[in-house]
Amino acid sequence: MNKSQNQLNRLELIAAHFISELKAIFSDKGALLILIGAMLVYPVIYSIAYMNETCTNLRIGVVDLDGTDASRKYVQMIDATPELGVTCQPGSLSEAEKLFMENKISGLVLIDNGFQGDVLSGEQAHVAVYADASYFLKYRNEYMAVAMVNAYFSGGISVKHYMAEGQSFEQAKVSSDPLPTQYHILYNPSTGYGSFIMPGIILVIIQQTLLIGIGVLGGSFSESKKSPFLLPLTKRKKEVLPFLAGKAGAYLLITLFNVAFALFAVHHWFQYPDKTSFLEIGVLVFPYLIAVIFLGIGLSTLFRHRESAIVFMVFLSPIALFFTGLSWPVSAMPEWIVIFSKLMPSTTVIPAYLRLRTMGVGIAGVKHELIWLYVQATVYVLLTIVYYMFRVNRDKRKKEIPIELKSNLPG
């Protein structure tokens, strides 16, 4: 009977703290905006921004110093590429440079004088490409588009030469390209930037909004100087686990709605690659959420003001994104940064999530990351429990000290 009564009391405590935390969330406009509003807005806005997936019709200028049929054909082929659009043909390189500095064009192609003569005589012709390498997406598209035009233009010339020597069209094609290159783009056929970066970005958003929201509420609670416990000081050790379970349950409930919206609805709306099942995603994401929630609860105890949580977590956001390897490959990072980055749950979950959902490797293909996430979640849960146990003991000692001093007074 006592055992059943204790279990009932624990369930009642969990329910009480669960409801109390939900009330705190929904009564705090700032926390509500971060935990729910941000998760509804950020994934959609970012996905809309990357909706076009690739940079197309980049404005470039062509300086055609040759002015022949061959050079005009070459310019037409550049303009026909999906990546580039020839918007102007300046008369000189200095005029083109001025347009580039005024941001009216994003690149420049220079066709040198004597282009057609070199082509007809079988000598090497020269074409120069000027692209801004400080903007890698534009630079990549401009360079690759011109390289593709060069390949097709050169191939056409070679075929005509071989046909003039008496070969058939099919023989000429083989002679001009005896070892053709075939490449197959896996998992992201459109080479879209949105399909590459958004699935990982969404998981970072989930992590950071959770950490900021929990930190804001923790800072607000610290400002109020209240105790988070309901039981008397002598019984609070028994309340630590129900308190943390109820608190974490409230955040988990809200986050599950966010996950359903961001990882499934947004993913479907913007047609990101999806080669796995809901169950496998849930198995991977669950320990990630537990690790983030308890990391947030632990960090929230450090903030004495709600503004401190916002400043610290916003400072942490770009670092968390960098650690994932989305902006820079992990293999190119120093070893000590890679080791340090494992403290963040997003560092482990994002590569595993991309392999699971984009590549379709199956849950067995990410078992090492899955094990580490469960270990990480367990560690953060235990550290949080140890901290609150320490906090209860500290509060108990503080209350006992005045009683002991009073008993030692004379008379």
Side-chain angles (χ1 to χ4, degrees):
M1 183 67 179
N2 290 335
K3 186 177 180 180
S4 300
Q5 187 65 36
N6 288 335
Q7 289 177 348
L8 181 61
N9 290 338
R10 287 182 180 180
L11 291 176
E12 288 176 346
L13 283 171
I14 291 173
H17 287 295
F18 175 80
I19 295 170
S20 174
E21 197 67 27
L22 283 179
K23 286 181 178 178
I25 293 170
F26 284 96
S27 62
D28 190 314
K29 293 181 180 179
L32 199 61
L33 181 65
I34 294 168
L35 290 171
I36 297 179
M39 278 308 306
L40 295 177
V41 174
Y42 283 168
V44 175
I45 289 180
Y46 286 179
S47 297
I48 291 173
Y50 295 128
M51 187 184 295
N52 290 333
E53 295 280 5
T54 58
C55 295
T56 57
N57 291 320
L58 296 173
R59 297 173 299 170
I60 68 163
V62 176
V63 178
D64 184 3
L65 299 180
D66 195 46
T68 58
D69 290 339
S71 65
R72 284 192 288 271
K73 179 66 175 177
Y74 187 85
V75 174
Q76 290 173 359
M77 291 178 68
I78 292 176
D79 192 42
T81 62
E83 295 86 1
L84 305 179
V86 179
T87 57
C88 63
Q89 295 191 42
S92 65
L93 193 60
S94 59
E95 184 183 344
E97 183 180 0
K98 182 179 178 182
L99 293 172
F100 182 82
M101 293 302 178
E102 292 173 352
N103 202 31
K104 292 181 179 178
I105 56 175
S106 61
L108 172 66
V109 175
L110 173 65
I111 302 175
D112 207 356
N113 194 12
F115 177 81
Q116 180 171 279
D118 291 337
V119 168
L120 294 177
S121 62
E123 296 181 5
Q124 188 176 36
H126 298 281
V127 175
V129 181
Y130 298 86
D132 184 6
S134 65
Y135 199 143
F136 282 114
L137 288 177
K138 288 185 179 181
Y139 166 78
R140 170 184 172 273
N141 279 18
E142 290 167 4
Y143 178 78
M144 291 187 66
V146 175
M148 186 66 69
V149 169
N150 285 345
Y152 276 100
F153 192 84
S154 301
I157 295 170
S158 298
V159 168
K160 287 181 181 179
H161 277 299
Y162 285 119
M163 290 179 68
E165 293 175 358
Q167 295 186 11
S168 66
F169 177 69
E170 294 299 327
Q171 289 175 328
K173 284 201 303 181
V174 174
S175 298
S176 64
D177 191 11
L179 191 63
T181 302
Q182 293 185 358
Y183 62 92
H184 303 275
I185 301 172
L186 303 176
Y187 315 124
N188 186 5
S190 66
T191 63
Y193 191 75
S195 296
F196 153 68
I197 201 167
M198 275 311 299
I201 288 287
I202 289 174
L203 287 174
V204 174
I205 293 172
I206 290 173
Q207 173 181 276
Q208 296 309 113
T209 52
L210 258 177
L211 293 178
I212 294 172
I214 296 172
V216 165
L217 287 170
S220 299
F221 199 85
S222 296
E223 289 177 355
S224 68
K225 307 295 183 182
K226 294 179 181 178
S227 171
F229 300 106
L230 302 176
L231 296 180
L233 190 58
T234 56
K235 298 182 180 180
R236 283 182 184 173
K237 278 190 177 180
K238 296 180 180 179
E239 193 182 354
V240 169
L241 292 181
F243 165 73
L244 292 175
K247 193 178 181 74
Y251 292 117
L252 184 60
L253 176 65
I254 291 176
T255 307
L256 288 177
F257 285 105
N258 291 337
V259 165
F261 173 76
L263 295 188
F264 298 111
V266 172
H267 210 92
H268 175 71
W269 292 342
F270 293 94
Q271 299 179 344
Y272 296 135
D274 191 1
K275 297 180 180 294
T276 189
S277 64
F278 291 171
L279 179 61
E280 289 182 324
I281 294 172
V283 170
L284 179 67
V285 170
F286 177 73
Y288 169 66
L289 297 180
I290 296 298
V292 173
I293 287 170
F294 277 92
L295 175 61
I297 293 173
L299 290 176
S300 68
T301 60
L302 304 176
F303 303 122
R304 294 294 173 259
H305 305 282
R306 57 191 287 127
E307 294 81 7
S308 303
I310 296 175
V311 172
F312 178 75
M313 293 304 177
V314 169
F315 165 77
L316 195 64
S317 295
I319 298 176
L321 177 61
F322 177 76
F323 283 166
T324 62
L326 290 174
S327 59
W328 185 252
V330 176
S331 58
M333 295 181 189
E335 188 64 26
W336 67 270
I337 290 183
V338 176
I339 295 172
F340 182 72
S341 70
K342 296 299 182 182
L343 294 174
M344 301 297 295
S346 57
T347 303
T348 302
V349 77
I350 288 177
Y353 178 79
L354 293 178
R355 294 209 308 277
L356 183 68
R357 194 155 197 185
T358 303
M359 298 174 64
V361 299
I363 202 68
V366 295
K367 62 181 180 181
H368 297 295
E369 290 85 352
L370 189 61
I371 292 171
W372 175 249
L373 283 171
Y374 275 101
V375 169
Q376 197 172 43
T378 302
V379 169
Y380 285 139
V381 169
L382 292 177
L383 287 176
T384 307
I385 292 172
V386 169
Y387 168 77
Y388 274 94
M389 288 291 188
F390 167 78
R391 183 171 174 176
V392 168
N393 289 332
R394 183 190 61 188
D395 293 343
K396 190 175 179 181
R397 286 196 301 270
K398 283 183 179 180
K399 192 165 185 179
E400 288 174 351
I401 287 172
I403 298 174
E404 293 174 0
L405 289 175
K406 187 176 180 180
S407 63
N408 292 331
L409 291 175

